[in-house]
Amino acid sequence: MNITEAIEKVKPHLTVKRFEHTLRVADTAVKLAKRYDASQTKAELAAILHDYAKYRSLDEMERWIRKSTLPKDLLDYHHELWHGPVGAILIEREFGIRDKEIQSAVHYHTTGKAGMSILDKIIFLADYIEPGRSFPGINDVRKKAEQDLTHACLMASKNTITYLISKNTTVYPDSFHAYNDLTRQIIGGSSLHEK
Ligand code: DGI
Ligand code: FE
Ligand code: FE
């Protein structure tokens, strides 16, 4: 599937605002792919597809989680976390996209995970820093994204987890796994209380 086809397929499933967000994520992802020597084509395609399942009904997403190999514990967490994993399944079923790197980037774009690939990091970060976003501290993350992909992902992960905790929300384990793994990648064994 090429980019033009992907855009045409995804557009009717999204609101205008979400579609514009998607195009900005794609633009940001391509820039990051250039900067960090990743496939620009895969980054662009994964970005176009990343929120594909965002507006599926909760019933439909729940059914996909139950009948696929997706982790069932997703159902114990907020439904905002379902569209990435379900999207990774739907792009294969509906568009025949079996590229594991693209499926992984779509799957984990909301939470991250331990052991993210460069493409996973690019989509996770592009979704966070695209020019339409205005989170507290986002400009620092944007600046860091020009120099250090992993460190910028760590900042985004930390901001999101801190925000969720401030709202008394539960945090999906993969979000913590991402944070821990990115922290180890950035500061290694020098973390204060770690062996
Ligand atoms: O789909 P988008 O709005 O472009 O962005 P997203 O997929 O990154 O995030 C969707 C929402 O999910 C966002 O409001 C933050 C929230 N979120 C991210 N990680 C977690 C989470 N919500 C819960 N409950 N737990 C998490 O670990
Ligand atoms: Fe999303
Ligand atoms: Fe998004």
Side-chain angles (χ1 to χ4, degrees):
M1 171 176 264
N2 67 35
I3 301 295
T4 316
E5 284 168 346
I7 290 173
E8 278 170 18
K9 292 280 191 193
V10 163
K11 193 175 180 184
H13 290 269
L14 302 179
T15 61
V16 173
K17 278 195 167 179
R18 179 67 42 186
F19 179 66
E20 287 169 355
H21 157 75
T22 292
L23 296 181
R24 290 191 300 266
V25 174
D27 189 56
T28 306
V30 169
K31 285 181 184 149
L32 290 171
K34 275 187 200 154
R35 171 72 183 82
Y36 295 104
D37 218 11
S39 161
Q40 291 173 42
T41 314
K42 282 196 189 194
E44 190 168 17
L45 196 51
I48 295 294
L49 299 168
H50 86 282
D51 275 339
Y52 176 58
K54 186 88 178 175
Y55 299 108
R56 296 295 164 119
S57 70
L58 297 189
D59 263 11
E60 181 182 357
M61 287 195 286
E62 182 173 338
R63 266 185 279 118
W64 280 117
I65 293 166
R66 290 194 190 282
K67 73 179 173 191
S68 68
T69 57
L70 291 177
K72 304 302 166 246
D73 70 347
L74 282 166
L75 298 171
D76 302 331
Y77 290 84
H78 199 277
H79 55 74
E80 265 301 323
L81 297 173
W82 301 353
H83 71 283
V86 170
I89 302 258
L90 291 184
I91 60 171
E92 175 164 357
R93 309 248 347 170
E94 299 183 5
F95 309 145
I97 291 172
R98 277 179 203 86
D99 184 312
K100 293 301 163 211
E101 291 182 337
I102 291 177
Q103 286 184 284
S104 172
V106 171
H107 185 137
Y108 295 103
H109 82 263
T110 303
T111 58
K113 64 164 188 163
M116 291 164 89
S117 68
I118 292 182
L119 190 67
D120 293 334
K121 288 177 182 174
I122 286 174
I123 300 303
F124 176 80
L125 186 61
D127 192 28
Y128 189 83
I129 63 168
E130 63 91 345
R133 298 288 209 193
S134 57
F135 302 122
I138 197 171
N139 283 331
D140 293 337
V141 186
R142 287 187 177 125
K143 249 179 245 156
K144 188 56 82 177
E146 291 168 18
Q147 304 140 11
D148 187 331
L149 179 66
T150 302
H151 201 154
C153 285
L154 173 58
M155 291 166 78
S157 155
K158 195 170 175 177
N159 288 353
T160 300
I161 291 174
T162 305
Y163 168 79
L164 292 167
I165 290 173
S166 80
K167 294 285 171 197
N168 301 308
T169 317
T170 56
V171 179
Y172 191 64
D174 278 335
S175 298
F176 286 127
H177 294 151
Y179 169 78
N180 288 334
D181 184 49
L182 293 164
T183 296
R184 289 192 185 104
Q185 287 182 51
I186 294 305
I187 56 172
S190 69
S191 165
L192 198 53
H193 297 292
E194 224 159 297
K195 285 204 275 183

